[in-house]
């Protein structure tokens, strides 16, 4: 495993890609509403990229046909945008997007509740935010990746929710997915030791049920769903490990 350690100059170049990733993430989230199609959300990314002369990180990545991933309800990640998929009241809509600029990628996601009133579903979303906070707070030089995963796992499982194990976070930078793998579960004191200059996508994927930890891929070869069709939530930030902890690069945002 070869982990890319970025220089200060490279991180400064990466900041712009991450800032723009956060900007389009929040533009997309603001347009999530009943009656809107996921294809219309994809159009927003196309318009943004054309306006700013940048590229969508996910478009044609390993053949992915969309400019962002839009995953709804039991869909965990990698939902393909479509003009035939209409957002409905009560949906949990996960928008996952990245921008490529200056030779670097950003990667970020959030979950939007569309008129959700079920207290347990709201608690799932709020807990997933806390999982992201805990994972980022655990990051720092000399910390093991097992510590980061454990911090996320503990918050989720203490709340009674499941942690997806089939899909995990990752390094990000010159490519969308780099080493190391960043699981959302783990054992303290194990796995790779973090160093300043590492750039990571921390992305807890948390399910309403423990059985939801198991996932399958639909016939479109992309969309990942919970095996028991339970709801899932997903939040993600790109961070850089610093001398003192971790700095979030995919700000601004109105969640951690």
């Amino acid at each position: 495993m070869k982990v890319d350690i970025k220089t200060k100059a490279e991180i400064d170049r990466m900041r712009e890609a991450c800032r723009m990733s956060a900007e389009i993430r929040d533009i997309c989230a603001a347009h999530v509403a009943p009656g809107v199609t996921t294809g219309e959300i994809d159009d927003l990314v196309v318009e943004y990229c054309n306006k700013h002369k940048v590229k969508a990180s996910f478009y044609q990545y390993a053949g992915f046909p969309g400019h962002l991933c839009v995953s709804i309800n039991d869909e965990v990640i990698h939902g393909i945008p479509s003009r035939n998929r209409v957002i409905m009241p009560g949906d949990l809509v996960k928008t996952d997007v990245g921008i490529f600029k200056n030779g670097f990628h950003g990667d970020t996601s959030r979950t939007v509740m569309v008129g959700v009133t079920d207290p347990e579903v709201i608690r799932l979303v709020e807990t997933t935010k806390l999982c992201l906070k805990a994972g980022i707070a655990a990051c720092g030089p000399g910390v093991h990746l097992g510590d980061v995963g454990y911090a996320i796992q503990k918050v989720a499982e203490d709340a009674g929710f499941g942690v997806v194990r089939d899909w995990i976070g990752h390094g990000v930078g010159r490519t969308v997915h780099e080493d190391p793998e960043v699981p959302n579960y783990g054992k303290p004191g194990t796995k790779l030791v973090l160093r300043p200059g590492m750039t990571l996508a921390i992305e807890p994927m948390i399910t309403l049920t423990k059985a939801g930890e198991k996932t399958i891929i639909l016939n479109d070869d992309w969309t990942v769903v919970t095996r028991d069709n339970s709801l899932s939530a997903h939040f993600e930030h790109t961070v850089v490990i610093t001398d003192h902890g971790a700095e979030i690069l995919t700000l601004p945002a109105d969640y951690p």
Side-chain angles (χ1 to χ4, degrees):
M1 177 173 57
K2 181 175 173 55
V3 178
D4 186 20
I5 305 297
K6 279 78 174 177
T7 65
K8 183 180 182 303
E10 289 170 336
I11 292 167
D12 286 342
R13 285 165 55 197
M14 189 168 166
R15 286 181 195 281
E16 184 64 3
C18 288
R19 183 195 66 77
M20 297 181 84
S21 298
E23 185 171 55
I24 187 57
R25 175 203 61 212
D26 292 344
I27 290 170
C28 290
H31 281 79
V32 170
V36 175
T37 69
T38 59
E40 290 175 290
I41 301 298
D42 192 72
D43 289 343
L44 295 171
V45 182
V46 175
E47 292 168 8
Y48 184 92
C49 290
N50 289 340
K51 177 180 178 181
H52 296 282
K53 296 181 172 54
V54 293
K55 294 181 179 179
S57 297
F58 303 164
Y59 183 60
Q60 291 301 311
Y61 179 77
F64 186 74
H67 295 81
L68 84 165
C69 302
V70 187
S71 309
I72 300 177
N73 296 333
D74 64 332
E75 299 169 356
V76 180
I77 49 173
H78 301 165
I80 299 173
S82 169
R83 297 195 181 281
N84 297 319
R85 186 68 185 275
V86 179
I87 296 168
M88 304 295 290
D91 280 344
L92 280 188
V93 181
K94 287 138 279 185
T95 56
D96 188 352
V97 65
I99 293 294
F100 180 71
K101 184 177 182 181
N102 298 330
F104 290 93
H105 296 269
D107 193 0
T108 183
S109 70
R110 64 183 295 176
T111 298
V112 179
M113 293 182 283
V114 184
V116 172
T117 58
D118 186 330
E120 194 67 357
V121 178
I122 294 170
R123 195 171 70 87
L124 168 66
V125 174
E126 294 303 320
T127 297
T128 308
K129 292 180 185 179
L130 293 176
C131 287
L132 179 60
K133 268 188 174 180
I136 294 171
C139 289
V143 171
H144 291 261
L145 276 174
D147 300 317
V148 178
Y150 175 76
I152 294 169
Q153 179 183 359
K154 187 174 190 313
V155 171
E157 293 185 346
D158 283 356
F161 298 124
V163 179
V164 171
R165 285 163 166 73
D166 300 334
W167 302 89
I168 58 180
H170 51 90
V172 58
R174 290 179 173 85
T175 62
V176 179
H177 291 91
E178 299 181 346
D179 285 332
E181 295 183 339
V182 185
N184 296 308
Y185 57 92
K187 181 180 178 181
T190 64
K191 304 290 186 181
L192 181 76
V193 175
L194 299 181
R195 296 168 51 195
M198 290 182 178
T199 48
L200 309 173
I202 309 293
E203 51 175 323
M205 291 160 260
I206 309 302
T207 58
L208 192 62
T209 68
K210 290 287 287 182
E213 295 178 345
K214 301 293 185 181
T215 64
I216 58 174
I217 300 175
L218 297 183
N219 291 336
D220 63 14
D221 294 327
W222 282 104
T223 307
V224 176
V225 301
T226 57
R227 190 176 292 273
D228 68 346
N229 300 121
S230 62
L231 298 177
S232 71
H234 177 211
F235 287 93
E236 176 184 19
H237 272 314
T238 297
V239 306
V240 58
I241 304 304
T242 69
D243 291 334
H244 307 289
E247 177 190 349
I248 300 172
L249 298 178
T250 44
L251 293 174
D254 59 1
Y255 65 96

